[in-house]
Amino acid sequence: MPAKKVLLLNPPGERVYIRDYYCSKVSKSNYLFHPIDLLMLSGRLAERYELYVIDAIADGIDINSCYGMIKAISPDVVISLVGAVSLEEDIPFLERLKNDVTQIIVTGDIVLEDPDKWMKRHTFIDAVIMDFTSRDIIPYIEGRYETITSMVYRTVDSIRCTDYVRPKNEEFELPVPRHDLFKSNGYRFPFVRHKEFATVLTEYGCPFKCSFCIMSTLGSRYRNVENVIEEFKVLKKLGKKEIFIFDQTFGINKKRAIDLCRRMKEEEFNFGWVCY
């Protein structure tokens, strides 16, 4: 059988919305980096499925044009960003899209609190991703629900909520994200000197408990250094000149940060890079 078609979607909007990493906002100046939720999912999905990316925000694609592009792809599964800041636009767009798509899966800040109640209100949504770095997306698409720990999903007669335990300083690896599929010329960041930059996540969440910040609710995990270096090798081949490391607290594990910097120097990547 042919591989399923999976579309990673940043839907259109009237403003420059940033919906990813469970913290949606409107870009207030010259920044629009690669949507990290979709990017982190891309490597895992591309290993099994025919994968497509539409970033309607970065490419300035309007609603009708975006529908036309999606119909031309005819995906079996759409994984879409949603955001509290853009919800009044996201919901009608995805509801209309459901007429042409078998499964719609969403990730975003608005779905983190009471995701089962949210899905009861929006019956066209099939599943919610609670952690975009987890392995659960493949078992879910393939119907192997017994192994899922970080998604809320609809079955024939109910909505299943897993007992998700937030990670605590766990190490993890993931297949190298498919940066080559995120081709838009609309990505920009004022702290890099070259247009050819990439957005990379080496640590997920944050170990601190600041009450004002959503990151304190996500738990924390960090990627194996060699797994990050593998991604950097791919980025060098793609001609990327600079890296925006999107970690919320880069260097919190001092030994790991020094090991990563040492390996970057050994490999002679010569990237410019910036982090929080």
Side-chain angles (χ1 to χ4, degrees):
M1 294 180 63
K4 283 187 175 180
K5 294 181 180 180
V6 177
L7 171 65
L8 298 175
L9 175 66
N10 191 9
E14 292 296 322
R15 306 176 74 182
V16 181
Y17 296 124
I18 295 176
R19 301 177 171 100
D20 58 323
Y21 214 160
Y22 304 116
C23 184
S24 64
K25 59 189 77 70
V26 176
S27 178
K28 301 174 187 67
S29 78
N30 190 34
Y31 61 91
L32 182 64
F33 27 80
H34 311 77
I36 203 69
D37 305 42
L38 305 183
L39 192 59
M40 291 295 101
L41 290 164
S42 65
R44 215 180 289 283
L45 291 163
E47 289 185 335
R48 291 177 179 258
Y49 309 117
E50 192 174 336
L51 189 64
Y52 299 83
V53 174
I54 295 177
D55 191 334
I57 297 295
D59 284 329
I61 302 168
D62 63 33
I63 290 174
N64 289 329
S65 297
C66 194
Y67 278 127
M69 293 172 67
I70 295 171
K71 283 191 175 184
I73 294 169
S74 189
D76 302 290
V77 180
V78 170
I79 302 174
S80 178
L81 295 175
V82 293
V85 72
S86 57
L87 194 63
E88 291 184 1
E89 296 173 55
D90 299 344
I91 291 301
F93 182 88
L94 293 175
E95 189 169 19
R96 176 180 164 190
L97 185 62
K98 182 63 175 177
N99 295 325
D100 302 302
V101 177
T102 303
Q103 286 183 319
I104 293 182
I105 305 165
V106 297
T107 176
D109 54 2
I110 193 67
V111 300
L112 276 189
E113 188 174 352
D114 294 326
D116 55 330
K117 292 181 181 178
W118 194 85
M119 287 183 64
K120 287 176 182 176
R121 289 197 302 272
H122 305 295
T123 56
F124 56 92
I125 300 297
D126 296 289
V128 166
I129 296 172
M130 304 294 288
D131 178 348
F132 56 79
T133 65
S134 83
R135 302 173 182 267
D136 282 352
I137 190 63
I138 302 299
Y140 172 75
I141 292 175
E142 296 183 352
R144 294 184 281 109
Y145 302 137
E146 66 279 358
T147 65
I148 293 173
T149 61
S150 62
M151 293 181 70
V152 177
Y153 55 94
R154 196 179 305 279
T155 63
V156 174
D157 55 1
S158 66
I159 295 173
R160 294 188 184 178
C161 296
T162 55
D163 295 325
Y164 180 50
V165 178
R166 300 294 179 187
K168 294 183 179 179
N169 298 322
E170 298 173 359
E171 186 177 78
F172 77 107
E173 296 183 2
L174 78 171
V176 173
R178 290 293 303 273
H179 291 270
D180 56 306
L181 296 178
F182 294 78
K183 300 175 181 179
S184 175
N185 290 321
Y187 299 122
R188 53 196 183 271
F189 197 51
F191 302 109
V192 297
R193 296 163 295 174
H194 300 276
K195 191 167 181 62
E196 287 299 323
F197 81 101
T199 305
V200 173
L201 193 73
T202 84
E203 300 176 5
Y204 171 78
C206 179
F208 295 114
K209 304 299 180 186
C210 305
S211 61
F212 60 83
C213 182
I214 185 66
M215 295 301 153
S216 67
T217 69
L218 300 182
S220 64
R221 56 163 58 107
Y222 52 91
R223 286 171 64 188
N224 176 281
V225 167
E226 291 305 316
N227 187 231
V228 178
I229 293 299
E230 183 183 3
E231 183 174 358
F232 284 172
K233 289 179 180 178
V234 171
L235 292 174
K236 186 173 183 178
K237 289 180 181 178
L238 290 174
K240 302 300 181 183
K241 303 294 185 182
E242 298 202 47
I243 309 295
F244 168 38
I245 297 178
F246 199 8
D247 303 1
Q248 299 300 300
T249 48
F250 180 80
I252 186 62
N253 183 323
K254 186 175 181 180
K255 180 183 182 303
R256 176 184 172 277
I258 292 173
D259 288 345
L260 178 57
C261 291
R262 183 180 294 113
R263 289 290 291 117
M264 290 169 67
K265 183 177 180 180
E266 289 171 356
E267 293 290 340
E268 298 183 349
F269 291 128
N270 296 320
F271 294 133
W273 59 281
V274 62
C275 65
Y276 292 140

PDB file of all heavy atoms in Angstrom, residues 178-190:
ATOM      1  N   ARG A 178      13.355  17.454   9.534  1.00  0.00           N
ATOM      2  CA  ARG A 178      13.470  17.693   8.099  1.00  0.00           C
ATOM      3  C   ARG A 178      13.466  19.190   7.795  1.00  0.00           C
ATOM      4  O   ARG A 178      12.498  19.746   7.274  1.00  0.00           O
ATOM      5  CB  ARG A 178      12.340  16.966   7.374  1.00  0.00           C
ATOM      6  CG  ARG A 178      12.501  15.452   7.383  1.00  0.00           C
ATOM      7  CD  ARG A 178      13.709  14.996   6.547  1.00  0.00           C
ATOM      8  NE  ARG A 178      13.605  15.475   5.181  1.00  0.00           N
ATOM      9  CZ  ARG A 178      12.959  14.826   4.209  1.00  0.00           C
ATOM     10  NH1 ARG A 178      12.383  13.664   4.476  1.00  0.00           N
ATOM     11  NH2 ARG A 178      12.903  15.315   2.991  1.00  0.00           N
ATOM     12  N   HIS A 179      14.577  19.830   8.118  1.00  0.00           N
ATOM     13  CA  HIS A 179      14.700  21.264   7.864  1.00  0.00           C
ATOM     14  C   HIS A 179      14.502  21.598   6.393  1.00  0.00           C
ATOM     15  O   HIS A 179      14.055  22.701   6.059  1.00  0.00           O
ATOM     16  CB  HIS A 179      16.074  21.750   8.317  1.00  0.00           C
ATOM     17  CG  HIS A 179      16.273  21.732   9.797  1.00  0.00           C
ATOM     18  ND1 HIS A 179      15.973  22.805  10.601  1.00  0.00           N
ATOM     19  CD2 HIS A 179      16.746  20.761  10.622  1.00  0.00           C
ATOM     20  CE1 HIS A 179      16.259  22.508  11.866  1.00  0.00           C
ATOM     21  NE2 HIS A 179      16.724  21.272  11.899  1.00  0.00           N
ATOM     22  N   ASP A 180      14.818  20.659   5.517  1.00  0.00           N
ATOM     23  CA  ASP A 180      14.711  20.921   4.077  1.00  0.00           C
ATOM     24  C   ASP A 180      13.275  21.136   3.618  1.00  0.00           C
ATOM     25  O   ASP A 180      13.039  21.717   2.556  1.00  0.00           O
ATOM     26  CB  ASP A 180      15.319  19.762   3.282  1.00  0.00           C
ATOM     27  CG  ASP A 180      14.695  18.421   3.632  1.00  0.00           C
ATOM     28  OD1 ASP A 180      14.674  18.059   4.826  1.00  0.00           O
ATOM     29  OD2 ASP A 180      14.201  17.730   2.717  1.00  0.00           O
ATOM     30  N   LEU A 181      12.297  20.692   4.422  1.00  0.00           N
ATOM     31  CA  LEU A 181      10.893  20.869   4.048  1.00  0.00           C
ATOM     32  C   LEU A 181      10.348  22.235   4.472  1.00  0.00           C
ATOM     33  O   LEU A 181       9.284  22.645   4.004  1.00  0.00           O
ATOM     34  CB  LEU A 181      10.036  19.757   4.668  1.00  0.00           C
ATOM     35  CG  LEU A 181      10.334  18.333   4.187  1.00  0.00           C
ATOM     36  CD1 LEU A 181       9.443  17.337   4.930  1.00  0.00           C
ATOM     37  CD2 LEU A 181      10.134  18.209   2.689  1.00  0.00           C
ATOM     38  N   PHE A 182      11.063  22.913   5.351  1.00  0.00           N
ATOM     39  CA  PHE A 182      10.634  24.235   5.817  1.00  0.00           C
ATOM     40  C   PHE A 182      11.365  25.284   4.974  1.00  0.00           C
ATOM     41  O   PHE A 182      12.359  25.869   5.390  1.00  0.00           O
ATOM     42  CB  PHE A 182      10.918  24.384   7.313  1.00  0.00           C
ATOM     43  CG  PHE A 182      10.086  23.463   8.164  1.00  0.00           C
ATOM     44  CD1 PHE A 182      10.405  22.112   8.290  1.00  0.00           C
ATOM     45  CD2 PHE A 182       8.959  23.933   8.821  1.00  0.00           C
ATOM     46  CE1 PHE A 182       9.629  21.255   9.063  1.00  0.00           C
ATOM     47  CE2 PHE A 182       8.174  23.082   9.606  1.00  0.00           C
ATOM     48  CZ  PHE A 182       8.507  21.744   9.712  1.00  0.00           C
ATOM     49  N   LYS A 183      10.838  25.487   3.765  1.00  0.00           N
ATOM     50  CA  LYS A 183      11.568  26.211   2.726  1.00  0.00           C
ATOM     51  C   LYS A 183      11.241  27.698   2.647  1.00  0.00           C
ATOM     52  O   LYS A 183      11.828  28.410   1.835  1.00  0.00           O
ATOM     53  CB  LYS A 183      11.262  25.586   1.357  1.00  0.00           C
ATOM     54  CG  LYS A 183      11.655  24.124   1.246  1.00  0.00           C
ATOM     55  CD  LYS A 183      11.207  23.553  -0.093  1.00  0.00           C
ATOM     56  CE  LYS A 183      11.568  22.083  -0.223  1.00  0.00           C
ATOM     57  NZ  LYS A 183      11.106  21.518  -1.518  1.00  0.00           N
ATOM     58  N   SER A 184      10.315  28.178   3.438  1.00  0.00           N
ATOM     59  CA  SER A 184       9.845  29.552   3.287  1.00  0.00           C
ATOM     60  C   SER A 184      10.966  30.578   3.405  1.00  0.00           C
ATOM     61  O   SER A 184      11.888  30.425   4.219  1.00  0.00           O
ATOM     62  CB  SER A 184       8.778  29.862   4.339  1.00  0.00           C
ATOM     63  OG  SER A 184       8.397  31.224   4.272  1.00  0.00           O
ATOM     64  N   ASN A 185      10.872  31.616   2.600  1.00  0.00           N
ATOM     65  CA  ASN A 185      11.783  32.760   2.723  1.00  0.00           C
ATOM     66  C   ASN A 185      11.294  33.753   3.773  1.00  0.00           C
ATOM     67  O   ASN A 185      11.935  34.783   3.981  1.00  0.00           O
ATOM     68  CB  ASN A 185      11.916  33.463   1.372  1.00  0.00           C
ATOM     69  CG  ASN A 185      12.673  32.626   0.360  1.00  0.00           C
ATOM     70  OD1 ASN A 185      13.646  31.956   0.705  1.00  0.00           O
ATOM     71  ND2 ASN A 185      12.223  32.647  -0.886  1.00  0.00           N
ATOM     72  N   GLY A 186      10.169  33.435   4.407  1.00  0.00           N
ATOM     73  CA  GLY A 186       9.575  34.366   5.363  1.00  0.00           C
ATOM     74  C   GLY A 186      10.115  34.258   6.774  1.00  0.00           C
ATOM     75  O   GLY A 186       9.797  35.090   7.631  1.00  0.00           O
ATOM     76  N   TYR A 187      10.929  33.238   7.052  1.00  0.00           N
ATOM     77  CA  TYR A 187      11.488  33.109   8.400  1.00  0.00           C
ATOM     78  C   TYR A 187      12.566  34.175   8.605  1.00  0.00           C
ATOM     79  O   TYR A 187      13.399  34.407   7.729  1.00  0.00           O
ATOM     80  CB  TYR A 187      12.068  31.713   8.605  1.00  0.00           C
ATOM     81  CG  TYR A 187      11.049  30.612   8.459  1.00  0.00           C
ATOM     82  CD1 TYR A 187      11.224  29.596   7.519  1.00  0.00           C
ATOM     83  CD2 TYR A 187       9.908  30.588   9.249  1.00  0.00           C
ATOM     84  CE1 TYR A 187      10.283  28.593   7.374  1.00  0.00           C
ATOM     85  CE2 TYR A 187       8.967  29.590   9.112  1.00  0.00           C
ATOM     86  CZ  TYR A 187       9.163  28.586   8.163  1.00  0.00           C
ATOM     87  OH  TYR A 187       8.226  27.601   8.018  1.00  0.00           O
ATOM     88  N   ARG A 188      12.541  34.782   9.776  1.00  0.00           N
ATOM     89  CA  ARG A 188      13.485  35.870  10.033  1.00  0.00           C
ATOM     90  C   ARG A 188      13.705  36.008  11.540  1.00  0.00           C
ATOM     91  O   ARG A 188      12.851  35.645  12.348  1.00  0.00           O
ATOM     92  CB  ARG A 188      12.940  37.175   9.455  1.00  0.00           C
ATOM     93  CG  ARG A 188      11.528  37.519   9.914  1.00  0.00           C
ATOM     94  CD  ARG A 188      10.883  38.574   9.038  1.00  0.00           C
ATOM     95  NE  ARG A 188       9.561  38.953   9.512  1.00  0.00           N
ATOM     96  CZ  ARG A 188       8.430  38.343   9.137  1.00  0.00           C
ATOM     97  NH1 ARG A 188       8.479  37.344   8.268  1.00  0.00           N
ATOM     98  NH2 ARG A 188       7.263  38.749   9.607  1.00  0.00           N
ATOM     99  N   PHE A 189      14.870  36.528  11.875  1.00  0.00           N
ATOM    100  CA  PHE A 189      15.234  36.680  13.281  1.00  0.00           C
ATOM    101  C   PHE A 189      16.267  37.798  13.370  1.00  0.00           C
ATOM    102  O   PHE A 189      17.273  37.765  12.664  1.00  0.00           O
ATOM    103  CB  PHE A 189      15.807  35.355  13.816  1.00  0.00           C
ATOM    104  CG  PHE A 189      15.839  35.259  15.313  1.00  0.00           C
ATOM    105  CD1 PHE A 189      14.712  35.536  16.073  1.00  0.00           C
ATOM    106  CD2 PHE A 189      16.989  34.867  15.976  1.00  0.00           C
ATOM    107  CE1 PHE A 189      14.728  35.442  17.456  1.00  0.00           C
ATOM    108  CE2 PHE A 189      17.016  34.765  17.359  1.00  0.00           C
ATOM    109  CZ  PHE A 189      15.884  35.057  18.105  1.00  0.00           C
ATOM    110  N   PRO A 190      16.042  38.804  14.201  1.00  0.00           N
ATOM    111  CA  PRO A 190      16.933  39.963  14.186  1.00  0.00           C
ATOM    112  C   PRO A 190      18.314  39.722  14.772  1.00  0.00           C
ATOM    113  O   PRO A 190      19.200  40.550  14.597  1.00  0.00           O
ATOM    114  CB  PRO A 190      16.163  41.002  15.028  1.00  0.00           C
ATOM    115  CG  PRO A 190      15.267  40.203  15.906  1.00  0.00           C
ATOM    116  CD  PRO A 190      14.893  38.991  15.104  1.00  0.00           C
TER     117      PRO A 190
END
